[in-house]
Amino acid sequence: MRWALVKVCLAVTTMVVVAFAIPLGLVIKEMARDRAFSNAERTAAALGPTLSVTTDRDQLARALATAQTGDGDRMSIYVPADGGNPAIRLGELRVEEGRLDDIRRATVETVPGGSVWLQPIAVSTTKIAVVEVYVPEAEVTNGVTTAWVVLAGVGIALIIGSVAVADRLGVRMVQPAKRLVGAAHDLGEGKLGARVPEDGPTELRLAAVAFNSMADQVVQLLANERELAADLSHRLRTPLTVLRLNAASLGDGPAAEQTRVAVEQLEREVDTIIRTARDAKPQTAAAGPGAGCDAAEVIRERMAFWSALAEDEGRKVRVAGVDRPVRIPVARGELAAALDALLGNVFRHTPEGTAFAVDVHSGEDAVIVLVSDAGPGILDPEAAMARGRGSGSDGSTGLGLDIVRRLAESTGGDVRIGSSVLGGTEVRIWVQLDQRAGRAPGEVRRGRGHRGRERKGLVSTFNRSRSLP
C-alpha cells in the first residue's frame, strides 16, 4: 500500500509538472525573442527623426554613432539613390541592396549568426530609407537556459516533495494496518492480551476499535466457558459430600473401603477440574425482567435434602423466615447452587454434631439470607471471599463463596462474612429487589446505604425458628 501510494503520487506529480513546465518554457523562449526584437525596433526608431530631416551623410554618420548599441557594428543605414544623388550606405549591411529596395514595412531577416531587424523610414514622398539592426542569436535566447534550469529544478523539487509526502502518508496508513495484522496473528496464536492502538486514519481507527471489541468478547466468552466448567464441577461437590458421608457410615469391609476409595478418587478429579478452570475472570448475570424464584420454597427444598445428612451426623438444624413466599430476582437453579455451596462448606469444614441455621429476612427493597453455624469460624474472611483462594489441603477450591457472591452481585447486592449468634461463621447474602435504572448488573451497593436498609423495612424472623424433622 505504501509503495502503491508513492507510485501514484509520482505519476500524478510528473504529469502535472510536464503539463505546466513545457508550455511555460516555450512561453519564456518566445518572450526572450520578443524582448530582443523590441529593443532592436526601439533602436531603429531612434534614427527616424534624423532621416526625416536630412539625408546628409555626415549628419547621418554622427546620428548612427550616437544610436549605436552593443558590441561591434550592429546598426547600418541604407538610403537609396534618388536622381543625381547616389545611394548612402553607413555601417555593415547584412542584407543585399536589391532586397532593401523592396522593404516597405518592418520585417525580420535571418542572417548568419543571428537575425536583422529592417525598419523602413520615409525620407521623401518617393524615397524610403532602411535602418538595419543586427540581433545576435545569443541575444534572442538570452536568459532562456537559466529559466529552463529553474523550471526543471522546481519540477524536480515538486516531484521529490510529493513522493516524500506520499511516503509519510503511506507510513501513517501502513503502520496501523501492520499493527492490526500483527494483533490478529497474536490473537490467533492464543495471546488473548493482544490489542491494537486506536489511532491512524478514521477507517483503520474504526477497524482497531472493532478488533479490540472482538478480542474483549473472545476473552469474555473463554472466561465464561472456563467459569461455567468450574462452577458446574463445583456443584458436583454437593452429591459427592453426600456420598462421602454415606460411605463413612458403611462400616468396615472390602466393599465399603472400595466405595470410600472411589468417592475420594472422584472428588480429587472434580477438584482438579475446578483448579484448572478457576483462573477465569468471573462474570455475573442478573435475571431478566419477570424472572426469579420463591426463595422460601427453594430454601425449604434444599434444607429438606440436607436435614437427612444432618440427622445422621447429629447436627441441630434451624430454618426461619420461609413460612411465606419471598420472591427474589434470581434463577431457581442459581439460588439452589449457592445454598448447596454454603451448606456443603458447613458439613465439610465443621465437625460432626455442629449446629447450623438458615434465616430469611425480607424487606421492601431487599432480602437477606443468613447461613450460620456453630463451628470454629473463618479466620480470614477477606481471603475466603477471594475467588480461587482455596488451600487445596482441605479439599477447598475457593469457588463456593464466589458462586454466592456473584449471585448476590447480579442483583446489586453483596455477601459478607461475620460471626454468628451460634458462635461460628455467619454468611450474609444481600439480594437487592429494586434494580434501579442506570445501575449495571453486578454493581454493588456498599457503605451506609446497606446498613440503612438493614435497619429500615426488613421483617426480622430470626426468633421465629423451627427445627426440621
Side-chain angles (χ1 to χ4, degrees):
M1 181 185 299
R2 178 181 177 184
W3 291 115
L5 185 60
V6 169
K7 291 177 181 177
V8 169
C9 287
L10 177 62
V12 171
T13 307
T14 302
M15 288 189 294
V16 172
V17 168
V18 169
F20 282 93
I22 292 179
L24 188 57
L26 296 177
V27 169
I28 291 174
K29 181 179 180 181
E30 189 64 25
M31 290 175 62
R33 178 182 175 86
D34 292 342
R35 183 179 63 249
F37 285 108
S38 295
N39 293 335
E41 181 182 6
R42 287 194 299 270
T43 302
L47 294 175
T50 303
L51 286 171
S52 62
V53 172
T54 182
T55 57
D56 181 71
R57 187 179 186 88
D58 294 336
Q59 293 184 8
L60 291 178
R62 288 193 296 270
L64 180 62
T66 303
Q68 192 78 253
T69 59
D71 298 333
D73 189 12
R74 297 180 57 179
M75 293 184 63
S76 59
I77 299 176
Y78 171 74
V79 181
D82 182 15
N85 297 323
I88 300 174
R89 304 176 186 84
L90 297 175
E92 180 184 356
L93 292 176
R94 291 174 174 81
V95 180
E96 297 179 358
E97 294 182 8
R99 178 77 181 87
L100 293 175
D101 292 335
D102 298 331
I103 298 297
R104 293 295 180 269
R105 60 184 181 86
T107 185
V108 176
E109 295 285 342
T110 303
V111 297
S115 303
V116 292
W117 176 266
L118 301 176
Q119 180 69 45
I121 299 175
V123 296
S124 66
T125 57
T126 59
K127 185 167 56 177
I128 297 178
V130 177
V131 178
E132 180 188 273
V133 181
Y134 174 66
V135 181
E137 186 65 29
E139 187 173 336
V140 174
T141 59
N142 182 32
V144 174
T145 302
T146 302
W148 283 3
V149 170
V150 172
L151 282 176
V154 172
I156 293 174
L158 287 176
I159 293 174
I160 294 176
S162 68
V163 169
V165 172
D167 182 70
R168 291 300 90 197
L169 291 176
V171 169
R172 187 170 178 266
M173 295 176 61
V174 169
Q175 289 298 333
K178 286 183 177 179
R179 289 195 294 266
L180 185 60
V181 172
H185 283 300
D186 292 342
L187 188 63
E189 292 174 358
K191 300 177 182 178
L192 301 181
R195 296 295 184 274
V196 182
E198 298 173 1
D199 55 11
T202 302
E203 293 77 7
L204 292 176
R205 186 166 62 251
L206 293 177
V209 172
F211 176 85
N212 292 338
S213 178
M214 178 197 69
D216 292 338
Q217 290 294 329
V218 170
V219 172
Q220 189 63 58
L221 289 175
L222 291 176
N224 291 345
E225 292 296 327
R226 296 171 63 185
E227 184 177 295
L228 179 61
D231 291 347
L232 292 178
S233 301
H234 192 276
R235 294 183 185 186
L236 294 177
R237 294 173 64 85
T238 298
L240 282 176
T241 301
V242 177
L243 290 175
R244 180 172 58 83
L245 295 175
N246 289 339
S249 62
L250 292 178
D252 298 330
E257 184 63 25
Q258 291 176 0
T259 300
R260 284 190 288 269
V261 171
V263 171
E264 291 176 359
Q265 177 64 27
L266 181 58
E267 194 168 17
R268 284 194 298 269
E269 295 296 333
V270 171
D271 290 346
T272 300
I273 295 174
I274 295 174
R275 292 190 180 95
T276 301
R278 71 184 182 181
D279 292 333
K281 182 180 179 181
Q283 180 187 18
T284 61
C293 66
D294 183 0
E297 180 183 356
V298 175
I299 292 174
R300 288 196 302 268
E301 176 185 324
R302 300 317 300 161
M303 290 299 292
F305 170 81
W306 288 99
S307 62
L309 297 177
E311 184 177 355
D312 293 340
E313 292 190 358
R315 297 175 181 266
K316 292 182 178 181
V317 180
R318 187 188 67 220
V319 60
V322 295
D323 52 347
R324 55 196 176 109
V326 180
R327 297 292 301 182
I328 60 174
V330 175
R332 182 185 185 90
E334 297 296 327
L335 178 59
L339 287 173
D340 287 341
L342 293 177
L343 296 177
N345 285 342
V346 172
F347 280 85
R348 177 178 294 274
H349 300 295
T350 61
E352 294 185 7
T354 301
F356 64 94
V358 177
D359 301 281
V360 179
H361 303 264
S362 60
E364 295 179 358
D365 62 349
V367 171
I368 296 179
V369 178
L370 299 175
V371 178
S372 54
D373 61 64
I378 297 178
L379 298 179
D380 190 352
E382 183 177 352
M385 289 298 299
R387 179 179 176 84
R389 291 282 294 274
S391 63
S393 60
D394 59 352
S396 174
T397 62
L399 289 179
L401 287 174
D402 185 72
I403 293 175
V404 180
R405 178 186 60 80
R406 289 189 295 111
L407 176 141
E409 290 183 353
S410 69
T411 67
D414 66 357
V415 174
R416 294 184 183 182
I417 299 177
S419 299
S420 71
V421 295
L422 299 179
T425 301
E426 178 185 83
V427 179
R428 190 210 66 175
I429 309 172
W430 179 286
V431 178
Q432 186 70 30
L433 300 180
D434 180 18
Q435 297 190 36
R436 298 178 182 177
R439 183 190 313 140
E443 182 182 346
V444 181
R445 292 186 176 183
R446 301 184 183 277
R448 292 180 299 177
H450 268 178
R451 297 175 183 175
R453 284 189 295 269
E454 290 178 8
R455 294 191 297 266
K456 178 182 179 181
L458 292 178
V459 179
S460 178
T461 56
F462 184 81
N463 295 322
R464 295 184 300 171
S465 61
R466 60 184 177 87
S467 297
L468 293 174

